[in-house]
Amino acid sequence: MTQQFYVSPEQLMKDRADFARKGIARGRSVVVISCADGIALIAENPSPSLHKIGEIYDKIAFAAVGKYNEFESLRQAGVRYADVRGYSYDREDVTARGLASVYAQSLGAVFTAEQKPFEVELAVAEVGLAQEQDHLYRLTFDGSIADENGFVVMGGLADQISDVVSGDWDPELSLAGAMRLALRALAADKEADALPATAVEAAVLYRASESHRGSRRAFRRLLPEDMTLLLAEEA
Amino acid sequence: MQDPSTGPLATQATSSFTEHLQRSRPELLPFSQSLPAGMVPSSPHATTIVALTYAGGVLMAGDRRATMGNVIASRHIEKVFPADEYSVLGIAGTAGLAIDITRLFQVELEHYEKIEGTLLSLVGKANRLGAMIRGNLPMAMQGMAVIPLFAGFDQVSGVGRLFSYDVTGGRYEEQEHHSVGSGSVFARGALKKLWKPNLTEESAVAVAVEALYDAADDDSATGGPDPVRQLWPVVYTVNRTGNRRVPERDLAAIAGAIVESRAIAGREA
């Protein structure tokens, strides 16, 4: 029988974290920005059908970077969690905080107990009636959870992009303004000043969707033509 | 939440909310109980639903009365609901179960849309509803039947379509118009006389309200327009732009006009 080498828990966790970080750093970035009109979610994503951004529930959206199969399974599990909870209690009882803490538990359990940690980073966003009631949670591969204020940046060039966003973020930003800021920030490592609308996947959680859009579901995916229209608005 | 790391996820994956509940929380399904033998205590029943097609869409209307035996259980009950953006359903039969099945069906459609990123086809939705009604068959055998009527806009063919069901979940596509519930025989008679091809939306709403008026006239379990409490039928239209609830104001005017025209006619029966 071969002898098992001793590896200290510190070393083991560090190796796993390095492995996960490397996987995430290879991916393209996602920006989630709270603005006056709601919450804008923008991902650099050339594919029109494999989404990094998704609807979870009435007021809650999901954005992710990393391995597609891993975050897709987490997204689907999140939709199931939210739908079961909303069906058995009430739609009001589904909150981003509840969802984020279940995600944190799942990610933490995988990080410590499984063969390989998830190479993903998630954002859970909930739009409120007023901007102070917006919630942005950021979840990392080891299950740690952070309550962010104003915006979340995740993915390969998170630090560079985050610098651009934090420089110009303002709670008064309109939806178009937030989109412009995100497109500019996502181009951080490129020659261009801003990404074209066709290179991104974008969605929005509208504030007060009941009165403005006649639907309690605040999430809407923006198609490239919607983006072009939106960006043509006055700055 | 099921732990995404446990087991082969792909084999567990389903886009159906009902199937997910069946596996993980069967006690939450409205029709999962197996009832012991015995008499079922009387419970509120919802009655007449009418639906008809018009140029560019389809509409559904329901009265507001629920009865329990010979007593009026509610004058405010709503029996027509939006199922999703492009479809509506109306329910007749045991009210408590029917409302829960409606809620389950609404979540089922939304769940599919979120998981798959696309809407179910109209016939797909109609089949899912049939499966739910079949799931309720054991309860129906105990006297708690739920009979829905389903209508929606078919975005592929660009027309409004209408589906009726039997208690075993059998699904039948209806042409032009249909009605379910205890007042449906009277409503159907009215629809046959009043319905015409290519009705406009406004005249279609008037036809539906008049059919319900006739049902309420002869069926004690169907409620007529109630000017004292300002209660009018619940009417939804579905067309290319999605579903819309017809405002109370319009319904009050239509119901008022029907009552007036019948009073002027001065006929007894």
Side-chain angles (χ1 to χ4, degrees), chain A residues 4-223:
Chain A
Q4 280 252 307
F5 285 108
Y6 174 75
V7 184
S8 73
E10 287 91 341
Q11 189 58 44
L12 190 70
M13 291 303 150
K14 190 174 167 304
D15 289 350
R16 286 170 165 256
D18 286 345
F19 169 80
R21 251 184 232 114
K22 261 185 221 153
I24 294 163
R26 276 196 295 272
R28 297 170 208 250
S29 303
V30 171
V31 184
V32 180
I33 303 180
S34 162
C35 61
D37 302 329
I39 296 178
L41 305 106
I42 309 98
E44 187 182 354
N45 183 5
S47 165
S49 54
L50 299 173
H51 299 309
K52 297 173 146 199
I53 296 171
E55 175 184 17
I56 300 279
Y57 212 62
D58 293 354
K59 306 289 170 203
I60 304 173
F62 168 100
V65 292
K67 280 194 82 170
Y68 178 80
N69 67 332
E70 293 178 348
F71 67 67
E72 177 65 6
S73 75
L74 285 166
R75 183 187 70 85
Q76 295 195 357
V79 171
R80 292 201 182 99
Y81 161 84
D83 278 345
V84 170
R85 203 175 159 86
Y87 176 72
S88 58
Y89 297 112
D90 185 69
R91 298 194 80 94
E92 270 180 41
D93 301 307
V94 182
T95 61
R97 196 197 56 78
L99 178 68
S101 67
V102 216
Y103 274 145
Q105 285 169 28
S106 303
L107 285 166
V110 172
F111 183 72
T112 48
E114 293 296 315
Q115 280 274 318
K116 153 189 134 35
F118 273 4
E119 297 159 68
V120 295
E121 214 170 313
L122 313 179
V124 173
E126 178 179 2
V127 69
L129 277 176
Q131 200 168 30
E132 305 82 68
Q133 292 158 353
D134 283 0
H135 292 292
L136 296 177
Y137 297 99
R138 175 213 192 98
L139 294 134
T140 48
F141 52 84
D142 58 355
S144 38
I145 176 169
D147 190 347
E148 303 276 357
N149 190 15
F151 60 89
V152 176
V153 180
M154 308 179 298
L157 298 158
D159 291 340
Q160 267 173 277
I161 295 170
S162 188
D163 286 345
V164 180
V165 177
S166 64
D168 282 338
W169 182 74
D170 177 343
E172 307 285 298
L173 274 178
S174 67
L175 182 60
M179 290 290 179
R180 275 192 209 102
L181 173 58
L183 291 176
R184 196 149 49 76
L186 284 171
D189 66 325
K190 313 244 180 349
E191 300 287 295
D193 291 340
L195 284 182
T198 46
V200 296
E201 175 193 350
V204 56
L205 281 170
Y206 284 105
R207 206 180 294 293
S209 56
E210 285 86 352
S211 49
H212 294 140
R213 313 185 58 82
S215 158
R216 57 171 191 239
R217 287 167 76 181
F219 183 88
R220 209 175 128 226
R221 197 173 284 292
L222 299 179
L223 303 171

Side-chain angles (χ1 to χ4, degrees), chain B residues 229-249:
Chain B
R229 299 180 183 83
Q230 292 285 302
L231 290 177
W232 320 109
V234 174
V235 187
Y236 276 91
T237 62
V238 196
N239 57 27
R240 193 174 294 282
T241 59
N243 67 50
R244 182 180 78 96
R245 185 170 176 159
V246 179
E248 301 259 297
R249 220 168 354 98

Side-chain angles (χ1 to χ4, degrees), chain A residues 51 55-58 69 72-84 86-91 99 102-103 106 109-110 114 118 216-217, chain B residues 1-6 9 12-17 20-21 24-25 28-30 84 100-101 103-104 106-107 110-117:
Chain A
H51 299 309
E55 175 184 17
I56 300 279
Y57 212 62
D58 293 354
N69 67 332
E72 177 65 6
S73 75
L74 285 166
R75 183 187 70 85
Q76 295 195 357
V79 171
R80 292 201 182 99
Y81 161 84
D83 278 345
V84 170
Y87 176 72
S88 58
Y89 297 112
D90 185 69
R91 298 194 80 94
L99 178 68
V102 216
Y103 274 145
S106 303
V110 172
E114 293 296 315
F118 273 4
R216 57 171 191 239
R217 287 167 76 181
Chain B
M1 184 192 309
Q2 71 195 97
D3 190 343
S5 65
T6 53
L9 251 177
Q12 297 173 17
T14 166
S15 310
S16 164
F17 182 68
H20 175 61
L21 280 190
S24 60
R25 304 283 299 276
L28 290 180
L29 287 175
D84 68 354
D100 263 14
I101 289 176
R103 221 157 57 86
L104 181 64
Q106 288 167 330
V107 179
E110 191 186 315
H111 187 79
Y112 181 93
E113 186 188 337
K114 288 190 288 196
I115 295 279
E116 299 279 331

Side-chain angles (χ1 to χ4, degrees), chain B residues 7 10 43 70 73 98 171 175 196 200 202 204 229-230 252 268:
Chain B
S43 51
N70 63 346
R171 169 183 71 76
Q175 309 297 322
K196 289 189 282 295
T200 63
E202 294 78 48
R229 299 180 183 83
Q230 292 285 302
E268 171 61 24

